[in-house]
């Protein structure tokens, strides 16, 4: 009690250290050429069709990079890249179950204590496997009023929304660090920060000397963790 009302401390002095997060931006870009004759000889307008295809291509490439699954993701560190020691490795000849999904949450440690703050992102293979599991609650079972309005949500696991992505590779076996055998991801988005340095940009320019139109779609983004003190906040299911 003698320490109250004085400048003395009851414990050792500690210096509060501020941390710094470096977020690198990487560019995703695609290029198309269209000769003048292609547009002139076509009965339909080709430019909007090509432009929409390029936008979809950039979107899919960014999704694949964000997940960290499949190929063509370097140097972008997606979610699965941060989990280098996956503890959930079922055989690719079997099926993913609710037990595997709960194991993903358990593997998160302190980040997995609040199920409402987690998201499951699963492949098409895992999604159809879960439909065979009677304990999986699809959106039809949860009900429209209780379902979270998220694009791509297909169900709920313990208050955690389940999203399905078509950018995961098909079932494959391999090492726990491989990017081509990922089937599902459980992530705590509160431990990740995404920088969108430039949104989707479409540039179109005529190359008169070559008699063609050049189209370039590009965007710049980055992803980084906030803290590793209680784990990275992501756990992956990898087929073995």
């Amino acid at each position: 009690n003698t320490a109250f009302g004085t400048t003395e401390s009851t414990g050792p002095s500690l210096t509060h250290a501020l941390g710094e997060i470096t977020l690198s931006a990487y560019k995703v870009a695609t290029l198309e050429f269209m000769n003048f004759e292609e547009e002139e000889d076509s009965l339909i307008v080709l430019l909007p069709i090509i432009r929409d295809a390029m936008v979809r291509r950039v979107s899919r490439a960014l999704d694949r990079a964000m997940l960290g699954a499949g190929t063509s993701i370097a140097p972008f560190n997606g979610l699965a890249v941060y989990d280098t020691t996956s503890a959930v490795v079922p055989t690719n000849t079997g099926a993913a179950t609710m037990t595997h999904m709960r194991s993903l949450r358990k593997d998160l440690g302190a980040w997995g204590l609040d199920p409402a703050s987690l998201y499951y992102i699963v492949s098409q293979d895992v999604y159809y496997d879960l439909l065979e599991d009677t304990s999986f609650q699809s959106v039809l079972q949860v009900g429209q009023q209780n379902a979270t309005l998220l694009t791509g949500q297909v169900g709920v696991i313990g208050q955690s929304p389940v999203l399905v992505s078509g950018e995961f590779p098909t079932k494959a076996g391999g090492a726990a660090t491989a990017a081509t055998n990922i089937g599902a991801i459980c992530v705590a988005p509160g431990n990740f920060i995404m920088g969108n340095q430039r949104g989707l940009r479409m540039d179109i320019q005529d190359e008169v000397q070559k008699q063609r139109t050049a189209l370039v779609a590009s965007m710049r983004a980055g992803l980084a963790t906030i803290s590793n003190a209680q784990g990275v906040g992501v756990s992956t299911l990898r087929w073995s």
Side-chain angles (χ1 to χ4, degrees):
N1 291 332
T2 58
F4 289 103
T6 69
T7 58
E8 300 298 325
S9 173
T10 58
S13 61
L14 298 175
T15 301
H16 185 79
L18 296 177
E20 182 178 287
I21 299 175
T22 301
L23 183 62
S24 300
Y26 300 100
K27 182 186 290 185
V28 180
T30 181
L31 169 66
E32 286 276 0
F33 293 109
M34 184 178 64
N35 293 328
F36 291 166
E37 290 78 12
E38 291 182 68
E39 182 104 27
E40 296 167 354
D41 297 342
S42 175
L43 295 177
I44 60 175
V45 181
L46 295 178
L47 192 60
I49 298 175
I50 297 176
R51 183 174 60 241
D52 291 344
M54 295 176 67
V55 171
R56 288 194 301 270
R57 189 183 308 160
V58 173
S59 176
R60 292 188 59 187
L62 186 62
D63 284 349
R64 190 162 55 249
M66 282 290 182
L67 293 173
T71 57
S72 302
I73 60 172
F76 199 112
N77 286 333
L79 293 174
V81 178
Y82 289 97
D83 181 22
T84 57
T85 57
S86 177
V88 185
V89 190
T91 173
N92 64 341
T93 58
T97 64
M98 287 290 293
T99 301
H100 293 130
M101 299 298 106
R102 285 189 286 266
S103 296
L104 288 176
R105 177 186 165 191
K106 180 180 178 181
D107 194 39
L108 290 177
W111 287 108
L113 295 178
D114 182 10
S117 64
L118 305 178
Y119 289 93
Y120 288 92
I121 309 174
V122 303
S123 67
Q124 297 179 63
D125 289 324
V126 173
Y127 168 57
Y128 287 115
D129 286 345
L130 291 177
L131 288 180
E132 300 294 329
D133 195 320
T134 56
S135 59
F136 175 65
Q137 293 179 312
S138 67
V139 171
L140 295 178
Q141 293 170 307
V142 173
Q144 290 294 330
Q145 296 189 5
N146 295 326
T148 307
L149 296 179
L150 291 172
T151 302
Q153 181 177 346
V154 294
V156 174
I157 298 177
Q159 296 182 310
S160 302
V162 180
L163 311 177
V164 62
S165 172
E167 301 308 318
F168 285 98
T170 56
K171 282 186 178 182
T177 56
T180 55
N181 60 348
I182 298 171
I185 293 174
C186 183
V187 59
N191 194 40
F192 289 89
I193 181 173
M194 178 183 176
N196 206 0
Q197 278 75 9
R198 184 208 301 164
L200 182 63
R201 171 173 174 167
M202 177 67 68
D203 295 295
I204 303 175
Q205 184 177 18
D206 288 341
E207 296 183 355
V208 180
Q209 73 278 17
K210 295 183 179 180
Q211 292 291 284
R212 65 182 183 182
T213 300
L215 299 90
V216 178
S218 64
M219 66 182 304
R220 297 178 65 226
L223 183 71
T225 55
I226 297 176
S227 172
N228 296 329
Q230 294 179 307
V232 293
V234 62
S235 180
T236 61
L237 179 149
R238 301 176 187 266
W239 302 110
S240 67

